Amino acid sequence: MHRTSPARVRSRPLRAVAVVLLTGAVLAGCSAAGDTASSSSAPVTATLAQESPRIVATTAAPTLPVTVASADGSPVTVTSADRIVAVDRNGTLGQTVFALGLGERLVGRDLATDFPEVHDLPVITPGGHQLNAEAVLGLRPTVVLTDGSIGPRSAVQQLRDAGIPVVTFPGDRTVAGVGGLVAAVGTALGVPDQGRQLAEHAATAITDATAQARQRATGERVAFLYLRGTSVAMMGGKGSGADELIAAIGEVDAGVDSGLGTAYTPITPEALIVAKPDVLLLMTHGLESVGGIDGLLQVPGIAQTPAGQNRRVVVMDDTDLLSFGADTGDVIRALGEAVHRSAGQ
């Protein structure tokens, strides 16, 4: 092996030192720049094309009365849709009423029904999952739409005892079930034609968005995390709803693929190691509740995942991600684009 002679080394000490110092400075500068870029990195936000639901019929005129089968087993006759209360955990029903062109008839909403046109309406689900019967009665509704995600049952019965028609719908939210749900809401409110039109529009949008997303899908492993501060930290599995959306965009639900057979499972380092997510998907408020990406990386096991190491985090507004309403096609489009962008592609 060739070696530099001691004489030659001594003949250029200043040059050698200069090179070392310059090299160190460059490396330090690169390291500092890299650290700055890493620490300032933000999540990629999946954003819908428009904030408010797209209305398919602005001149809807309900034809009533109509008797429909409520999901809880009882037939319900709706005689008026003049004053509508629509509440469920995901905001799907309120969104659907608005998309049917009946938004001006809404008099009460849930926390998840959250777009500019309804901000002035009273929220009658304190905490998000509980129905305040007294508050509903104070609004003098002519019909109440809800599902099994909002309770208690005694509150629903109290409304019925007061003579208010309460129509309940299935609480399961799936991509395939979107059309049936919006059509059923249209039928219950006396606008079946508008309901069918909205269902067809939703189906077309879902088909188009799914095809576009899958064209650029690369088999990324996406894990849906449901966080509410440090006290609630769950990973989505089969039945979370997010699994449907991840499948629709052509990627792999890391929770389902790793064997999580229930909708939500407490996050553990062991579960994360098995799941090996490339991307972490969260609701916007969930990420905020732990202090952003830096706080998320403090959750045990997150920093050791490929997603954590590369700080690949996608967020979507809480009221949009799992709504499964008429805008589901737009949700799929936005989610597919965001996952794609998170890879820097």
Side-chain angles (χ1 to χ4, degrees):
M1 175 171 39
H2 175 74
R3 298 188 184 191
T4 304
S5 68
R8 183 170 294 182
V9 170
R10 285 194 300 270
S11 69
R12 54 183 184 188
L14 294 179
R15 183 184 302 175
V17 171
V19 171
V20 170
L21 291 176
L22 178 60
T23 303
V26 171
L27 291 176
C30 292
S31 176
D35 290 345
T36 300
S38 177
S39 62
S40 64
S41 63
V44 175
T45 301
T47 306
L48 300 190
Q50 64 181 55
E51 193 173 358
S52 303
R54 184 173 288 105
I55 301 174
V56 298
T58 57
T59 58
T63 300
L64 298 169
V66 63
T67 299
V68 295
S70 188
D72 58 6
S74 58
V76 177
T77 298
V78 179
T79 60
S80 172
D82 290 343
R83 299 181 63 82
I84 304 169
V85 167
V87 289
D88 66 291
R89 183 180 300 183
N90 299 321
T92 312
L93 298 175
Q95 179 195 102
T96 302
V97 170
F98 192 90
L100 287 168
L102 301 175
E104 292 184 354
R105 299 169 184 251
L106 275 172
V107 296
R109 66 183 177 97
D110 50 58
L111 281 172
T113 301
D114 185 24
F115 44 90
E117 290 83 354
V118 299
H119 282 171
D120 292 336
L121 295 181
V123 175
I124 51 177
T125 55
H129 303 162
Q130 296 294 311
L131 185 68
N132 185 320
E134 288 74 19
V136 176
L137 290 170
L139 297 174
R140 298 176 292 107
T142 58
V143 60
V144 173
L145 310 179
T146 188
D147 67 11
S149 68
I150 298 290
R153 291 183 180 179
S154 59
V156 172
Q157 190 57 50
Q158 185 176 345
L159 297 176
R160 284 179 170 159
D161 291 343
I164 299 173
V166 179
V167 182
T168 62
F169 298 87
D172 295 339
R173 295 287 183 265
T174 64
V175 172
V178 168
L181 177 62
V182 298
V185 173
T187 297
L189 295 178
V191 288
D193 290 342
Q194 288 87 346
R196 285 191 291 271
Q197 180 183 351
L198 182 59
E200 292 171 0
H201 169 83
T204 299
I206 288 170
T207 298
D208 292 346
T210 298
Q212 292 173 9
R214 290 181 175 177
Q215 284 180 350
R216 57 173 171 257
T218 57
E220 300 272 25
R221 297 180 63 81
V222 183
F224 173 56
L225 306 184
Y226 181 84
L227 303 179
R228 285 298 180 266
T230 57
S231 59
V232 179
M234 314 285 283
M235 180 159 57
K238 186 175 178 59
S240 71
D243 58 332
E244 294 255 338
L245 299 174
I246 293 168
I249 65 174
E251 309 297 359
V252 178
D253 186 299
V256 173
D257 191 61
S258 66
L260 299 185
T262 57
Y264 294 99
T265 301
I267 293 175
T268 64
E270 294 77 15
L272 287 167
I273 289 172
V274 174
K276 297 177 298 186
D278 301 304
V279 185
L280 299 174
L281 170 63
L282 291 85
M283 294 179 176
T284 303
H285 289 166
L287 184 61
E288 291 173 351
S289 73
V290 294
I293 293 181
D294 289 333
L296 177 63
L297 294 176
Q298 301 306 309
V299 176
I302 293 290
Q304 286 70 50
T305 65
Q309 292 167 359
N310 295 310
R311 300 174 71 93
R312 289 188 65 189
V313 178
V314 170
V315 296
M316 181 176 275
D317 190 273
D318 300 44
T319 62
D320 295 330
L321 182 57
L322 299 180
S323 61
F324 289 100
D327 65 352
T328 298
D330 199 13
V331 171
I332 292 171
R333 176 203 58 77
L335 182 59
E337 290 178 354
V339 169
H340 187 68
R341 292 201 314 273
S342 74
Q345 300 172 357

